[in-house]
Amino acid sequence: RRVIGHLRKRLVRTVKDCEAKLNQINQSVHFASSEQAFGALSGWDDVEPILKSEDLLEPLKVIYDSLVETGYELVADGHVSDIIRRVAVFGMTLVPLDIREESTRHTLALDAITRHLGIGSYKEWDEEARLNWLQSEINSKRPLFRIGDVESNTICLD
């Protein structure tokens, strides 16, 4: 429990540091607060953030060993070993990204395509029109546009 408690505080500290850096970079983007993810947790500011894979692997291995020693091999060999494997392979750089949070580039790309096709402005369509068009394109057997148009940049995706 002590290992998990300390690890949780370090993870919260890491998230808080990342939030602060992201807020310095871009004040207009809203990120979900770490309180929503971790709940209110005191003492996080007294610990060091996790900056290296080893900082995370060490307590995870202690947790793994503790679970095995107490008869919880299935838990240890499940989620815990999966996390250990991911951290060992990818390090601290593998971060999930939810692209739904910021769809500007997606909207601009599809707007350029729909304008090129002469069917209107994706950007100006309401949600229902967008979904209907996207669904029809997914169901279509033809390509959305010719590869030559992309290669010659006539769609203006830049």
Side-chain angles (χ1 to χ4, degrees):
R1 288 185 183 163
R2 287 185 191 146
V3 172
I4 292 174
H6 185 70
L7 178 59
R8 184 171 182 226
K9 286 180 183 178
R10 290 193 70 193
L11 288 169
V12 169
R13 173 63 187 264
T14 304
V15 170
K16 294 276 190 184
D17 285 3
C18 290
E19 284 176 348
K21 288 179 184 174
L22 286 171
N23 285 332
Q24 288 174 354
I25 293 170
N26 192 344
Q27 295 292 329
S28 66
V29 177
H30 174 71
F31 300 98
S33 73
S34 56
E35 276 78 22
Q36 291 172 334
F38 295 103
L41 181 70
S42 62
W44 63 267
D45 50 347
D46 298 333
V47 297
E48 292 294 317
I50 297 173
L51 302 175
K52 300 180 295 190
S53 300
E54 298 80 33
D55 294 343
L56 185 55
L57 281 173
E58 184 181 326
L60 287 172
K61 288 177 182 176
V62 170
I63 292 167
Y64 178 89
D65 292 340
S66 175
L67 287 167
V68 170
E69 288 172 13
T70 55
Y72 292 97
E73 293 90 1
L74 288 176
V75 176
D77 288 331
H79 292 304
V80 177
S81 65
D82 287 346
I83 295 169
I84 291 171
R85 191 177 310 109
R86 287 180 189 144
V87 172
V89 171
F90 299 107
M92 298 297 292
T93 59
L94 188 63
V95 178
L97 174 64
D98 188 345
I99 62 170
R100 294 173 296 174
E101 291 178 10
E102 213 305 288
S103 61
T104 304
R105 300 287 289 173
H106 172 264
T107 300
L108 291 174
L110 287 174
D111 190 66
I113 291 168
T114 58
R115 286 177 184 269
H116 175 77
L117 295 173
I119 58 174
S121 172
Y122 180 87
K123 202 168 38 173
E124 295 171 3
W125 294 346
D126 63 17
E127 187 71 12
E128 184 178 353
R130 289 179 179 188
L131 291 174
N132 288 337
W133 180 75
L134 288 169
Q135 189 62 51
S136 71
E137 289 302 320
I138 289 170
N139 292 333
S140 173
K141 301 233 185 275
R142 65 165 174 72
L144 181 60
F145 46 82
R146 295 182 312 258
I147 194 66
D149 291 341
V150 175
E151 290 170 350
S152 65
N153 200 26
T154 60
I155 296 182
C156 301
L157 293 175
D158 291 338

